Amino acid sequence: MTFSLKNIESNHAKQLFKDNENTSVENTHVESSPVGIDRISFTTPHYYVDLTDLAKAREIDPNKFTIGIGQSEQSVPPNNQDIVTLGAQAALPLLKYVKKDKLKMLIVGTESGVDASKSSALYIHNLLKLNSCARCIEIKEACYGGTAALMTACDYVRVHKDSQVLVIAADIARYGLNTPGEVTQGAGAVAMLISANPHVLKINDDSVVKSCDIQDFWRPVYQDTALARGKFSSEKYIEFFLDVWQKYSEQNSCDLNDFAALCFHLPYTKMGLKALRAAMDSSENLSETSRVRLLEKYETSTKYSRRIGNIYTGSLYLGLLSLLELDGNPEIANPEVVNPGAANPAATSIQTSTIQTNSSCENQKFSSLKEGDKIGLFSYGSGAIGEFFTGTLMQGFKQALFASEHIEMLNSRAKLTVSEYEKMFNSVAKYCPEDFVSDTTHRDCTQFFLNSISSQERNYI
């Protein structure tokens, strides 16, 4: 028998085909483990100001704040709280899920850094007594910093499957008393534990990003209040969202009908709604059912932010938490239950009517979120970066949340008068070399404090 190269190649191909037929799918294709948010929690200061009270003090129609902007309450941090203490407090509930030898990174996304050199992550690392083998870094890009931290963490875990990364998005939004931006202030932190096989949300590797050097918002290093071109920034927010959404939908051959809900960065609750409506108006195939569903789920995603205000890098993830924890819980979602015994009945009435108008059949017309549902997320950081990405809900995600603890935290806060709020706002540690001793009378319901600044060194307890 003679052999030719052609015969050898033909026989080899036949054998390969036969081998493949006899090989199970499990042996030929191993699907990579999902990576994403295993646990997620937030914190906010124990004090707040009612925005109806603030509007009256500023001689402004309260409806401009509660309906036009979409905010009802605003968290106010005492001067013994900063992004370090807030970040550490937000992470506390996650520590029981951290495996000491598996935690490889702690990343803080913030635009309220306490030092131009040393990362806030190192202070938090010490307060939480984490293992010394973890990298500790801080990421800054306006309100996008938390997303940059999340994406960095997910990329790391995709390569190092057996690792965990703790991501913290913490900020204090300050524009100044009696300024146009005063109503969009706030304070808080969101902590996320990132791992393979997460319990809450798989982060899909499908991001679309847009970056462009614009001057819509900035904060010089010598001051703690922001400078902004409000109308211009809002226009850019919507423009960036439409651009990344269009590109995402083209790349993935999908439309708005394919999403169970969309979450947005929320400098104030009406901002994301403007972007969502712009996308729906430009959609040719959006069904009426999808339109109403997306609007109702959006309303649910704003309820925490409505009570806390703007927390910059954490705002998108506060919205995600609001959606996941309040969806399907009409008793908790009801503002009269969420904020029982409100000191200002008029404010509660306005808030209730707003929610009922925008979400008349919530928790009734559409089923609750479930495993496998796809959530769209839009992150925006002025300056500017916009990113659209998606997450897929994991089985049993509700059991991995801290809904009751978060509601209790919000309901236990102390309401400030406008004069008390102004005094607390003005008492913050200044950007200066002078020593500072923090307030010892407002240390309720939190475990960590900025105690003092001595010889320009921050001292935490």
Side-chain angles (χ1 to χ4, degrees), residues 167-234:
V167 168
I168 295 173
D171 268 306
I172 296 175
R174 289 171 59 88
Y175 293 92
L177 300 177
N178 206 11
T179 63
E182 184 178 25
V183 69
T184 63
Q185 297 177 146
V190 176
M192 297 175 276
L193 185 62
I194 309 305
S195 72
N197 300 308
H199 284 83
V200 177
L201 189 73
K202 171 191 175 185
I203 300 299
N204 300 313
D205 189 14
D206 59 0
S207 292
V208 171
V209 179
K210 175 180 178 178
S211 296
C212 183
D213 179 13
I214 63 173
Q215 202 74 3
D216 62 328
F217 172 104
W218 65 104
R219 188 195 304 186
V221 294
Y222 48 79
Q223 65 184 58
D224 65 353
T225 53
L227 303 174
R229 295 185 173 102
K231 185 175 184 293
F232 177 64
S233 187
S234 296

Side-chain angles (χ1 to χ4, degrees), residues 2 4 19 24 35 72 94 102 112 122 136 163 178 218 297 315 319 344-345 370 377 383 405 413 430 440 443 457:
T2 59
S4 68
D19 290 343
S24 65
V35 170
S72 297
L94 310 187
K102 305 297 184 185
S112 308
L122 285 166
C136 295
S163 64
N178 206 11
W218 65 104
K297 298 298 185 185
S315 293
N344 190 329
K370 62 185 183 303
L377 300 105
E405 292 87 346
R413 290 180 305 166
K430 306 297 182 183
T440 59
R443 298 196 173 192
E457 294 184 27

Side-chain angles (χ1 to χ4, degrees), residues 41 87-97 127-128 191 446-448:
S41 182
Q89 189 71 29
L92 271 183
L94 310 187
L95 295 188
K96 64 185 293 187
Y97 305 101
L127 289 176
L128 297 178
T446 189
Q447 187 168 323
F448 307 104

Side-chain angles (χ1 to χ4, degrees), residues 258-322:
D258 297 311
F259 291 85
L262 268 68
C263 292
F264 292 79
H265 164 56
L266 297 173
Y268 54 93
T269 66
K270 284 299 179 69
M271 185 67 255
L273 182 60
K274 294 176 182 179
L276 176 59
R277 284 176 170 164
M280 293 192 298
D281 289 345
S282 63
S283 175
E284 298 179 356
N285 303 312
L286 182 65
S287 70
E288 180 62 15
T289 298
S290 293
R291 185 188 72 82
V292 176
R293 182 189 70 252
L294 291 174
L295 286 172
E296 291 189 357
K297 298 298 185 185
Y298 174 82
E299 188 69 37
T300 302
S301 77
T302 66
K303 290 179 180 177
Y304 283 163
S305 294
R306 173 177 277 274
R307 298 190 63 190
I308 293 170
N310 188 1
I311 61 170
Y312 287 155
T313 55
S315 293
L316 169 60
Y317 304 99
L318 184 62
L320 174 64
L321 266 170
S322 184

Side-chain angles (χ1 to χ4, degrees), residues 317 345 380 410 438:
Y317 304 99
Y380 179 81
L410 287 174
S438 70

Side-chain angles (χ1 to χ4, degrees), residues 332-345:
I332 294 179
N334 187 315
E336 293 181 354
V337 176
V338 170
N339 193 11
N344 190 329

Side-chain angles (χ1 to χ4, degrees), residues 392-412:
T392 303
L393 290 174
M394 304 301 291
Q395 182 179 8
F397 70 92
K398 282 282 189 181
Q399 285 67 53
L401 301 172
F402 304 91
S404 59
E405 292 87 346
H406 292 152
I407 291 298
E408 182 180 357
M409 174 179 57
L410 287 174
N411 289 345
S412 68

Side-chain angles (χ1 to χ4, degrees), residues 6-44:
K6 183 176 182 180
N7 287 336
I8 293 174
E9 291 176 340
S10 177
N11 290 336
H12 181 61
K14 290 177 181 178
Q15 184 62 44
L16 284 176
F17 181 77
K18 183 177 181 180
D19 290 343
N20 287 338
E21 283 188 314
N22 296 328
T23 303
S24 65
V25 173
E26 288 78 11
N27 290 333
T28 59
H29 175 68
V30 178
E31 184 177 358
S32 60
S33 300
V35 170
I37 301 172
D38 186 64
R39 294 294 191 283
I40 178 171
S41 182
F42 82 89
T43 196
T44 195

